[in-house]
Amino acid sequence: EDQVTQSPEALRLQEGESSSLNCSYTVSGLRGLFWYRQDPGKGPEFLFTLYSAGEEKEKERLKATLTKKESFLHITAPKPEDSATYLCAVQERDDFNKFYFGSGTKLNVKP
Amino acid sequence: IAGITQAPTSQILAAGRRMTLRCTQDMRHNAMYWYRQDLGLGLRLIHYSNTAGTTGKGEVPDGYSVSRANTDDFPLTLASAVPSQTSVYFCASSNNGNSPLHFGNGTRLTVT
C-alpha cells in the first residue's frame, strides 16, 4: 500500500539552528515527490518537485533531497518566518491523479 | 492574481442538511481535485476531474458528489451532512500530472 510518513511531527528550533525534516515513502512507482509549506488557515503552498534519486532543489534557506525511499528538507539557519507546517506528497507514476500526503511536520522557529 | 478561489471560508451546518462548497480556478488547468484535511491524517482525496464532463472517485468519496460543467468550476456537494464530515476542505488543480497541485485556502466545515 502506498504511504508517506513524515518525522518528526513537531520541531522547535532556535533562530539560526539548522535541521532536517524527513519524508519516508512507499509507492509502487514514483512520478514525483513534492514539498509544500502550509501556514495556519491557508492552503498548502508549493515549494519543490523532485523526480529521481540523487536530485536536489534549493530555495533560500531550504534544500530538498531525494533517495529511493525518502526525502529530506534541510533548513539552514532558519528564521522565525520559516515557522509553518511542511507537507510531503508523492505522486504515482501510473496514475497522475494519485497524490499521497504525509501528515506534516510542524516547525516552530524561536527568535 | 491567478489561483483558486473557494467559498465559503467557513460554515457551521446542521446534520442532515445539504451543502455545496464552491471552487473556481483561473489558471486553465485541466485537472481539479477535492481533498479533506483532518488532524493527524494528512490530506485525503475525495473526488477528482481530469477534464470538463468527467469525474472520478478518490480515497474517501462516500457522502460526497461533484460535477464539472466547465474548466473553471468544480463544486463539491454534501447531500446530507454528518458530523464525521467536519473537516477542512481544499480544492486543488494541476496540469494533468505535469505540474504540482495548486491549492485554494480551504473551507472549514463544522457539522453539528
Side-chain angles (χ1 to χ4, degrees):
Chain A
E1 179 179 308
D2 297 343
Q3 64 179 22
V4 178
T5 303
Q6 291 188 246
S7 61
E9 290 185 10
L11 182 62
R12 296 182 68 177
L13 299 174
Q14 287 296 127
E15 184 173 1
E17 180 186 4
S18 301
S19 189
S20 297
L21 314 182
N22 177 261
C23 171
S24 299
Y25 65 90
T26 303
V27 66
S28 55
L30 181 70
R31 177 182 286 255
L33 184 141
F34 304 85
W35 282 98
Y36 288 85
R37 170 192 171 122
Q38 187 174 22
D39 292 299
K42 301 289 187 181
E45 176 187 347
F46 170 72
L47 293 173
F48 303 109
T49 308
L50 301 166
Y51 293 104
S52 57
E55 189 174 1
E56 298 183 353
K57 294 275 181 71
E58 281 190 73
K59 180 180 179 180
E60 296 181 355
R61 295 176 293 282
L62 301 177
K63 183 170 80 171
T65 62
L66 180 64
T67 72
K68 287 188 177 180
K69 294 296 181 186
E70 58 189 352
S71 176
F72 292 93
L73 184 65
H74 306 279
I75 304 176
T76 301
K79 298 182 178 181
E81 53 262 43
D82 294 322
S83 297
T85 296
Y86 291 86
L87 304 176
C88 169
V90 297
Q91 183 184 24
E92 268 197 13
R93 180 184 58 220
D94 296 333
D95 185 347
F96 63 76
N97 293 302
K98 290 189 177 176
F99 290 81
Y100 297 96
F101 283 83
S103 53
T105 293
K106 187 173 183 179
L107 175 65
N108 186 7
V109 182
K110 293 290 191 182
Chain B
I1 298 177
I4 294 179
T5 302
Q6 292 186 238
T9 303
S10 65
Q11 181 76 43
I12 299 173
L13 187 68
R17 298 296 296 268
R18 180 184 179 91
M19 173 78 188
T20 295
L21 309 185
R22 300 185 297 278
C23 174
T24 300
Q25 56 111 352
D26 61 3
M27 296 175 285
R28 308 304 293 174
H29 284 166
N30 291 327
M32 296 188 75
Y33 305 83
W34 275 105
Y35 285 87
R36 60 179 289 173
Q37 187 175 40
D38 302 290
L39 197 63
L41 292 179
L43 287 153
R44 292 181 293 167
L45 181 64
I46 304 171
H47 285 288
Y48 65 91
S49 170
N50 292 144
T51 189
T54 69
T55 63
K57 293 182 179 180
E59 183 183 358
V60 288
D62 295 343
Y64 306 95
S65 64
V66 292
S67 62
R68 187 91 182 275
N70 57 59
T71 298
D72 299 339
D73 300 300
F74 191 43
L76 175 73
T77 297
L78 289 68
S80 179
V82 295
S84 61
Q85 291 177 313
T86 293
S87 187
V88 182
Y89 291 86
F90 288 99
C91 180
S93 70
S94 80
N95 232 354
N96 272 352
N98 295 320
S99 73
L101 294 172
H102 296 265
F103 287 87
N105 280 327
T107 294
R108 182 175 294 274
L109 180 67
T110 302
V111 182
T112 61

mmCIF file of all heavy atoms in Angstrom, chain B residues 80-107:
data_model
loop_
_atom_site.group_PDB
_atom_site.id
_atom_site.type_symbol
_atom_site.label_atom_id
_atom_site.label_comp_id
_atom_site.label_asym_id
_atom_site.label_seq_id
_atom_site.Cartn_x
_atom_site.Cartn_y
_atom_site.Cartn_z
ATOM 1 N N SER B 80 -26.325 15.061 2.464
ATOM 2 C CA SER B 80 -26.934 15.016 3.794
ATOM 3 C C SER B 80 -25.790 14.924 4.806
ATOM 4 O O SER B 80 -25.282 13.840 5.068
ATOM 5 C CB SER B 80 -27.864 13.803 3.917
ATOM 6 O OG SER B 80 -28.441 13.728 5.205
ATOM 7 N N ALA B 81 -25.379 16.078 5.321
ATOM 8 C CA ALA B 81 -24.158 16.158 6.121
ATOM 9 C C ALA B 81 -24.253 15.340 7.413
ATOM 10 O O ALA B 81 -25.316 15.251 8.046
ATOM 11 C CB ALA B 81 -23.852 17.607 6.454
ATOM 12 N N VAL B 82 -23.098 14.753 7.780
ATOM 13 C CA VAL B 82 -22.968 14.022 9.054
ATOM 14 C C VAL B 82 -21.781 14.588 9.812
ATOM 15 O O VAL B 82 -20.870 15.173 9.208
ATOM 16 C CB VAL B 82 -22.785 12.501 8.807
ATOM 17 C CG1 VAL B 82 -24.027 11.897 8.167
ATOM 18 C CG2 VAL B 82 -21.565 12.233 7.944
ATOM 19 N N PRO B 83 -21.761 14.429 11.153
ATOM 20 C CA PRO B 83 -20.673 15.026 11.943
ATOM 21 C C PRO B 83 -19.271 14.586 11.523
ATOM 22 O O PRO B 83 -18.327 15.374 11.636
ATOM 23 C CB PRO B 83 -21.002 14.566 13.370
ATOM 24 C CG PRO B 83 -22.499 14.462 13.381
ATOM 25 C CD PRO B 83 -22.850 13.920 12.020
ATOM 26 N N SER B 84 -19.129 13.370 10.983
ATOM 27 C CA SER B 84 -17.805 12.903 10.558
ATOM 28 C C SER B 84 -17.281 13.660 9.334
ATOM 29 O O SER B 84 -16.107 13.497 8.962
ATOM 30 C CB SER B 84 -17.840 11.405 10.246
ATOM 31 O OG SER B 84 -18.737 11.135 9.186
ATOM 32 N N GLN B 85 -18.130 14.465 8.724
ATOM 33 C CA GLN B 85 -17.679 15.286 7.610
ATOM 34 C C GLN B 85 -17.152 16.653 8.067
ATOM 35 O O GLN B 85 -16.786 17.489 7.244
ATOM 36 C CB GLN B 85 -18.811 15.470 6.590
ATOM 37 C CG GLN B 85 -19.141 14.170 5.870
ATOM 38 C CD GLN B 85 -20.303 14.298 4.905
ATOM 39 O OE1 GLN B 85 -21.369 14.858 5.241
ATOM 40 N NE2 GLN B 85 -20.144 13.776 3.701
ATOM 41 N N THR B 86 -17.095 16.853 9.364
ATOM 42 C CA THR B 86 -16.421 18.028 9.909
ATOM 43 C C THR B 86 -14.944 17.948 9.551
ATOM 44 O O THR B 86 -14.268 16.975 9.877
ATOM 45 C CB THR B 86 -16.596 18.079 11.434
ATOM 46 O OG1 THR B 86 -17.970 18.300 11.741
ATOM 47 C CG2 THR B 86 -15.743 19.190 12.039
ATOM 48 N N SER B 87 -14.455 18.974 8.846
ATOM 49 C CA SER B 87 -13.096 18.928 8.322
ATOM 50 C C SER B 87 -12.774 20.255 7.662
ATOM 51 O O SER B 87 -13.615 21.155 7.591
ATOM 52 C CB SER B 87 -12.979 17.784 7.296
ATOM 53 O OG SER B 87 -11.645 17.596 6.883
ATOM 54 N N VAL B 88 -11.549 20.369 7.188
ATOM 55 C CA VAL B 88 -11.186 21.479 6.314
ATOM 56 C C VAL B 88 -11.071 20.918 4.900
ATOM 57 O O VAL B 88 -10.353 19.932 4.675
ATOM 58 C CB VAL B 88 -9.868 22.140 6.742
ATOM 59 C CG1 VAL B 88 -9.563 23.321 5.821
ATOM 60 C CG2 VAL B 88 -9.945 22.612 8.195
ATOM 61 N N TYR B 89 -11.762 21.547 3.968
ATOM 62 C CA TYR B 89 -11.823 21.050 2.600
ATOM 63 C C TYR B 89 -11.007 21.962 1.681
ATOM 64 O O TYR B 89 -11.177 23.185 1.681
ATOM 65 C CB TYR B 89 -13.276 21.006 2.118
ATOM 66 C CG TYR B 89 -14.073 19.947 2.834
ATOM 67 C CD1 TYR B 89 -14.687 20.212 4.052
ATOM 68 C CD2 TYR B 89 -14.179 18.662 2.301
ATOM 69 C CE1 TYR B 89 -15.399 19.230 4.727
ATOM 70 C CE2 TYR B 89 -14.893 17.674 2.957
ATOM 71 C CZ TYR B 89 -15.496 17.969 4.173
ATOM 72 O OH TYR B 89 -16.189 16.989 4.825
ATOM 73 N N PHE B 90 -10.120 21.333 0.922
ATOM 74 C CA PHE B 90 -9.277 22.073 -0.012
ATOM 75 C C PHE B 90 -9.556 21.641 -1.443
ATOM 76 O O PHE B 90 -9.618 20.446 -1.743
ATOM 77 C CB PHE B 90 -7.795 21.838 0.295
ATOM 78 C CG PHE B 90 -7.325 22.525 1.539
ATOM 79 C CD1 PHE B 90 -7.208 21.817 2.726
ATOM 80 C CD2 PHE B 90 -7.000 23.872 1.529
ATOM 81 C CE1 PHE B 90 -6.771 22.444 3.881
ATOM 82 C CE2 PHE B 90 -6.569 24.509 2.675
ATOM 83 C CZ PHE B 90 -6.458 23.796 3.856
ATOM 84 N N CYS B 91 -9.688 22.631 -2.295
ATOM 85 C CA CYS B 91 -9.775 22.414 -3.729
ATOM 86 C C CYS B 91 -8.380 22.637 -4.311
ATOM 87 O O CYS B 91 -7.641 23.517 -3.838
ATOM 88 C CB CYS B 91 -10.783 23.374 -4.339
ATOM 89 S SG CYS B 91 -11.008 23.221 -6.115
ATOM 90 N N ALA B 92 -8.020 21.853 -5.313
ATOM 91 C CA ALA B 92 -6.707 21.981 -5.933
ATOM 92 C C ALA B 92 -6.831 21.769 -7.433
ATOM 93 O O ALA B 92 -7.813 21.190 -7.913
ATOM 94 C CB ALA B 92 -5.722 20.979 -5.336
ATOM 95 N N SER B 93 -5.812 22.209 -8.167
ATOM 96 C CA SER B 93 -5.796 21.990 -9.609
ATOM 97 C C SER B 93 -4.377 21.695 -10.063
ATOM 98 O O SER B 93 -3.408 22.009 -9.359
ATOM 99 C CB SER B 93 -6.349 23.209 -10.353
ATOM 100 O OG SER B 93 -5.451 24.295 -10.259
ATOM 101 N N SER B 94 -4.272 21.072 -11.223
ATOM 102 C CA SER B 94 -2.948 20.837 -11.815
ATOM 103 C C SER B 94 -3.100 20.683 -13.320
ATOM 104 O O SER B 94 -4.213 20.565 -13.845
ATOM 105 C CB SER B 94 -2.274 19.601 -11.221
ATOM 106 O OG SER B 94 -2.769 18.417 -11.804
ATOM 107 N N ASN B 95 -1.960 20.631 -14.005
ATOM 108 C CA ASN B 95 -1.938 20.493 -15.455
ATOM 109 C C ASN B 95 -1.843 19.034 -15.847
ATOM 110 O O ASN B 95 -0.932 18.626 -16.541
ATOM 111 C CB ASN B 95 -0.742 21.255 -16.020
ATOM 112 C CG ASN B 95 -1.160 22.196 -17.114
ATOM 113 O OD1 ASN B 95 -2.309 22.215 -17.536
ATOM 114 N ND2 ASN B 95 -0.224 22.988 -17.584
ATOM 115 N N ASN B 96 -2.804 18.218 -15.358
ATOM 116 C CA ASN B 96 -2.874 16.793 -15.699
ATOM 117 C C ASN B 96 -1.557 16.056 -15.518
ATOM 118 O O ASN B 96 -1.040 15.444 -16.450
ATOM 119 C CB ASN B 96 -3.380 16.610 -17.132
ATOM 120 C CG ASN B 96 -4.892 16.536 -17.169
ATOM 121 O OD1 ASN B 96 -5.545 16.477 -16.138
ATOM 122 N ND2 ASN B 96 -5.447 16.559 -18.358
ATOM 123 N N GLY B 97 -1.017 16.125 -14.304
ATOM 124 C CA GLY B 97 0.156 15.336 -13.987
ATOM 125 C C GLY B 97 1.468 15.977 -14.383
ATOM 126 O O GLY B 97 2.520 15.462 -14.058
ATOM 127 N N ASN B 98 1.406 17.091 -15.060
ATOM 128 C CA ASN B 98 2.643 17.735 -15.493
ATOM 129 C C ASN B 98 3.007 18.948 -14.654
ATOM 130 O O ASN B 98 3.874 19.727 -15.029
ATOM 131 C CB ASN B 98 2.516 18.162 -16.953
ATOM 132 C CG ASN B 98 2.376 16.975 -17.866
ATOM 133 O OD1 ASN B 98 3.033 15.960 -17.684
ATOM 134 N ND2 ASN B 98 1.493 17.083 -18.844
ATOM 135 N N SER B 99 2.319 19.108 -13.551
ATOM 136 C CA SER B 99 2.629 20.216 -12.656
ATOM 137 C C SER B 99 2.206 19.819 -11.249
ATOM 138 O O SER B 99 1.406 18.907 -11.062
ATOM 139 C CB SER B 99 1.883 21.482 -13.086
ATOM 140 O OG SER B 99 0.512 21.391 -12.798
ATOM 141 N N PRO B 100 2.742 20.496 -10.230
ATOM 142 C CA PRO B 100 2.296 20.195 -8.864
ATOM 143 C C PRO B 100 0.865 20.663 -8.658
ATOM 144 O O PRO B 100 0.310 21.418 -9.471
ATOM 145 C CB PRO B 100 3.269 21.013 -8.008
ATOM 146 C CG PRO B 100 3.736 22.110 -8.892
ATOM 147 C CD PRO B 100 3.767 21.546 -10.275
ATOM 148 N N LEU B 101 0.260 20.218 -7.573
ATOM 149 C CA LEU B 101 -1.063 20.704 -7.203
ATOM 150 C C LEU B 101 -0.965 22.134 -6.695
ATOM 151 O O LEU B 101 -0.046 22.481 -5.952
ATOM 152 C CB LEU B 101 -1.647 19.820 -6.100
ATOM 153 C CG LEU B 101 -1.957 18.372 -6.461
ATOM 154 C CD1 LEU B 101 -2.346 17.604 -5.206
ATOM 155 C CD2 LEU B 101 -3.048 18.302 -7.503
ATOM 156 N N HIS B 102 -1.943 22.953 -7.115
ATOM 157 C CA HIS B 102 -2.090 24.301 -6.584
ATOM 158 C C HIS B 102 -3.369 24.318 -5.768
ATOM 159 O O HIS B 102 -4.407 23.886 -6.263
ATOM 160 C CB HIS B 102 -2.168 25.324 -7.714
ATOM 161 C CG HIS B 102 -0.920 25.395 -8.522
ATOM 162 N ND1 HIS B 102 0.074 26.309 -8.281
ATOM 163 C CD2 HIS B 102 -0.488 24.649 -9.563
ATOM 164 C CE1 HIS B 102 1.064 26.135 -9.146
ATOM 165 N NE2 HIS B 102 0.746 25.131 -9.936
ATOM 166 N N PHE B 103 -3.307 24.840 -4.545
ATOM 167 C CA PHE B 103 -4.420 24.755 -3.617
ATOM 168 C C PHE B 103 -5.096 26.105 -3.383
ATOM 169 O O PHE B 103 -4.439 27.161 -3.415
ATOM 170 C CB PHE B 103 -3.934 24.242 -2.261
ATOM 171 C CG PHE B 103 -3.592 22.784 -2.246
ATOM 172 C CD1 PHE B 103 -2.323 22.346 -2.595
ATOM 173 C CD2 PHE B 103 -4.536 21.837 -1.863
ATOM 174 C CE1 PHE B 103 -1.997 20.997 -2.582
ATOM 175 C CE2 PHE B 103 -4.228 20.491 -1.842
ATOM 176 C CZ PHE B 103 -2.959 20.060 -2.200
ATOM 177 N N GLY B 104 -6.401 26.033 -3.088
ATOM 178 C CA GLY B 104 -7.104 27.180 -2.537
ATOM 179 C C GLY B 104 -6.847 27.268 -1.044
ATOM 180 O O GLY B 104 -6.092 26.453 -0.485
ATOM 181 N N ASN B 105 -7.483 28.240 -0.392
ATOM 182 C CA ASN B 105 -7.261 28.440 1.039
ATOM 183 C C ASN B 105 -8.249 27.698 1.931
ATOM 184 O O ASN B 105 -8.243 27.883 3.148
ATOM 185 C CB ASN B 105 -7.260 29.930 1.372
ATOM 186 C CG ASN B 105 -5.927 30.567 1.035
ATOM 187 O OD1 ASN B 105 -4.879 29.934 1.139
ATOM 188 N ND2 ASN B 105 -5.960 31.813 0.601
ATOM 189 N N GLY B 106 -9.093 26.892 1.347
ATOM 190 C CA GLY B 106 -9.886 25.966 2.133
ATOM 191 C C GLY B 106 -11.208 26.502 2.623
ATOM 192 O O GLY B 106 -11.440 27.712 2.696
ATOM 193 N N THR B 107 -12.095 25.550 2.942
ATOM 194 C CA THR B 107 -13.359 25.821 3.616
ATOM 195 C C THR B 107 -13.381 24.995 4.895
ATOM 196 O O THR B 107 -13.240 23.770 4.836
ATOM 197 C CB THR B 107 -14.563 25.412 2.742
ATOM 198 O OG1 THR B 107 -14.622 26.247 1.595
ATOM 199 C CG2 THR B 107 -15.864 25.531 3.540
#
